[in-house]
Amino acid sequence: MVLFLLSFIWGYNWVVMKDGLSDSAPLWFGSIRTIVPGLLLILLLPLLKKSMTPPPMRFVLPLALLQTTGFVGFTMLALEEGAVGATAILVFTMPIWLTLMAHTFLHERLTKRHWLAILVAAVGLFLMIAPWQTHLALAASLFALLSGIAWAGGSLWQKKYGPLYQLDMINITAWQMLFGGFFLLASAMLLEDYRMNWTPHFAWVVFYNLIPVGAVGWLMWFYVLHNLPTKVAGFGSLLIPTIGVLAAWIQLGEEPDTFEFLGILFILTALVMILWPTKLFKPPTA
C-alpha cells in the first residue's frame, strides 16, 4: 500500500513539475527541490537514531553529481522542452542503462532475456525520440535520456563503492541530495538568469516537491525497500512513469500520437522484462 501511494505521489509530480516551470527556470527549480529536502532529511537523522556525519567526500560527491545534479538537472531541462509523459518514460529507462553498465563495469552476465529486452527498448526509444520530428522534441528526448543515464550511473557508483563504506542509506541519500542540490544551484547561477515568480500556485508546487515528494516520499521509499524484496520494489516503481503519462493525458491533454504510444508500450515491456524475477522465465523442469 505504501508503494502504491508513493507511486501516485511521485507519478503525479511529473505534471506538478511541468506546471512549476511556468514560474521558474528549470535549474533554479531543480536546486530548491533538492537542497531543502536534503536538509530536512539530515535534520531527521537524529530522530531516526542515525548519524549526521557526512559520508566520505570521494564517495558522496560523484554520487551527488550523478544521482542528483545530473538526474534532476536533465529531467528539469527535458520537462521545459518536451511533454510530460514522454519525459517520464524516457527517464525511467534507467534500469536498462544500469543493466548495460553493470555488464560493462561489474561484469554481471546478461541473459538472453536481458539482450532481448534491450533490443525491445531500442525500438521503443527510436519511436519515442522520433528523429524525423522537430529539433525541440529531439532535444527534450536527449535530455530525458541523459537524466536516466546519470541516474543509472549514480546507482552503479553506489552499488560498486557503497559496500566499501558500510554507510546508512538514509544518511547517504540526504547528503548526496544536499551536495547535488548545491551543484545544481551553482549551475543555475552560471547558466540561467534568476527566475522564480512566487505566486500562490508556485508556492504549492514547491511545497508538494519539498514535503510529499521530497522528505516524506524518500522515507516512504526506504520503508518500501526495507519491507519488500528489491526486485518487487523496482517492478512496482514502474507505476510512477505510467501514472505520469496518464496524469499528463488527463490534466494537460498530452495525448500520445501513434509512434509515442507504441514507443511507451515497447519501453514498458522492456522494463518488465528487465525487472521481472528471473525464475519466472525459466522453463519448468521435468
Side-chain angles (χ1 to χ4, degrees):
M1 290 300 296
V2 172
L3 178 59
F4 189 72
L5 177 60
L6 178 63
S7 297
F8 270 91
I9 293 172
W10 280 359
Y12 183 65
N13 192 44
W14 290 96
V15 171
V16 176
M17 290 189 294
K18 179 71 172 182
D19 281 345
L21 290 174
S22 62
D23 291 309
S24 175
L27 296 181
W28 285 98
F29 184 26
S31 64
I32 195 173
R33 68 175 290 261
T34 51
I35 291 174
V36 177
L39 285 172
L40 291 175
L41 283 176
I42 290 171
L43 294 175
L44 278 174
L45 288 172
L47 299 178
L48 300 173
K49 298 181 179 179
K50 298 180 182 295
S51 173
M52 294 179 69
T53 304
M57 291 296 107
R58 64 178 177 271
F59 169 69
V60 75
L61 290 183
L63 181 65
L65 280 168
L66 291 166
Q67 198 154 294
T68 293
T69 309
F71 167 50
V72 175
F74 284 126
T75 293
M76 302 312 298
L77 292 171
L79 280 174
E80 184 184 44
E81 298 285 355
V84 171
T87 299
I89 292 293
L90 291 175
V91 169
F92 266 80
T93 58
M94 183 277 283
I96 297 167
W97 306 118
L98 181 57
T99 299
L100 285 170
M101 289 178 183
H103 172 73
T104 303
F105 298 105
L106 302 182
H107 308 292
E108 294 186 0
R109 177 177 167 272
L110 296 185
T111 65
K112 291 181 180 180
R113 170 167 60 91
H114 289 140
W115 286 116
L116 179 59
I118 291 168
L119 177 61
V120 171
V123 175
L125 288 174
F126 179 76
L127 294 171
M128 289 287 292
I129 293 174
W132 55 87
Q133 295 193 13
T134 65
H135 174 70
L136 285 179
L138 179 60
S141 298
L142 292 177
F143 281 137
L145 286 176
L146 287 172
S147 175
I149 291 170
W151 184 10
S155 299
L156 181 78
W157 182 268
Q158 187 163 328
K159 185 174 183 178
K160 184 172 183 178
Y161 297 109
L164 300 178
Y165 300 100
Q166 299 295 316
L167 299 170
D168 177 74
M169 186 60 65
I170 300 180
N171 179 288
I172 294 172
T173 301
W175 283 105
Q176 67 90 14
M177 285 182 70
L178 181 65
F179 290 139
F182 285 143
F183 289 135
L184 272 174
L185 180 60
S187 301
M189 295 173 69
L190 288 172
L191 301 175
E192 294 178 339
D193 294 329
Y194 176 80
R195 180 171 66 87
M196 278 192 180
N197 301 318
W198 285 97
T199 63
H201 174 262
F202 184 61
W204 177 84
V205 169
V206 171
F207 169 80
Y208 187 83
N209 274 266
L210 298 188
I211 306 302
V213 171
V216 177
W218 279 107
L219 289 176
M220 292 171 71
W221 177 246
F222 293 131
Y223 177 80
V224 167
L225 288 178
H226 182 73
N227 289 278
L228 289 175
T230 304
K231 285 287 187 181
V232 176
F235 184 73
S237 67
L238 292 182
L239 279 172
I240 297 170
T242 305
I243 291 168
V245 170
L246 294 175
W249 194 339
I250 294 170
Q251 184 168 332
L252 304 179
E254 290 185 0
E255 182 176 356
D257 61 26
T258 302
F259 291 110
E260 287 176 329
F261 185 75
L262 288 173
I264 289 170
L265 288 180
F266 272 86
I267 290 173
L268 287 177
T269 300
L271 290 173
V272 169
M273 294 173 69
I274 288 285
L275 295 172
W276 200 272
T278 302
K279 63 182 181 180
L280 295 184
F281 281 84
K282 290 182 177 179
T285 57

